[in-house]
Amino acid sequence: MIEVLPAPEYVAAFRISGTLHGADYDVLIPAIESKLEHNEHIGVLADMTDFDHMTAGALLRDLAYAMSKLGEYHRFKRAAVVADKRWIETTTRLAGKLFPNTEARLFHAGELEEAMRWVAGFRDDLISGGL
């Protein structure tokens, strides 16, 4: 299940829990696209503290959306993941290496507010010339 979380206008924030299904991307993709429509650069936050796994349909939707964004990864400045499962931590670190234009950082359960401050902070860095 995907729940859209309150966030600044330039951050797409989600709580992903239980089993992720392909239909959940009917919430996730429009939310991200709306942020991209109104902002040149965005941050993405995923609270995956209660995430269990994803179906094959969800994996296919995820990969298809990722492929559709190949020319736009520079627009995703930061990605914050809140999780305590080791495989999610490993995946987050790998994503940070695969997508060098996107700064990825892992946060642990209970650090959602800190994660939101960090992911939203890229805008301050852009204005001051830090990114």
Side-chain angles (χ1 to χ4, degrees):
M1 181 174 110
I2 292 181
E3 174 189 353
V4 177
L5 298 176
E9 66 170 82
Y10 53 91
V11 174
F14 308 96
R15 177 170 291 116
I16 302 169
S17 60
T19 300
L20 189 61
H21 297 274
D24 290 319
Y25 283 79
D26 294 339
V27 173
L28 184 120
I29 292 171
I32 292 173
E33 289 299 312
S34 176
K35 300 290 183 171
L36 288 170
E37 183 179 328
H38 297 99
N39 300 280
E40 179 62 25
H41 300 100
I42 68 167
V44 177
L45 181 146
D47 178 355
M48 301 178 78
T49 306
D50 295 321
F51 175 66
D52 292 322
H53 63 278
M54 65 193 320
T55 65
L59 180 59
L60 289 174
R61 291 282 305 266
D62 192 79
L63 293 173
Y65 184 64
M67 294 297 289
S68 77
K69 293 295 170 203
L70 281 178
E72 295 185 64
Y73 283 128
H74 66 281
R75 297 183 66 195
F76 296 83
K77 288 301 181 187
R78 286 188 178 168
V81 176
V82 180
D84 284 327
K85 294 176 179 76
R86 181 164 305 290
W87 69 270
I88 296 174
E89 292 177 14
T90 301
T91 304
T92 301
R93 286 188 187 94
L94 178 62
K97 292 178 183 178
L98 291 174
F99 305 103
N101 291 329
T102 303
E103 188 179 0
R105 186 169 165 194
L106 179 72
F107 295 84
H108 295 284
E111 297 180 333
L112 181 60
E113 288 181 28
E114 181 183 343
M116 185 67 75
R117 278 191 301 275
W118 178 80
V119 78
F122 81 84
R123 174 119 345 142
D124 296 335
D125 290 345
L126 280 176
I127 291 169
S128 67
L131 284 180

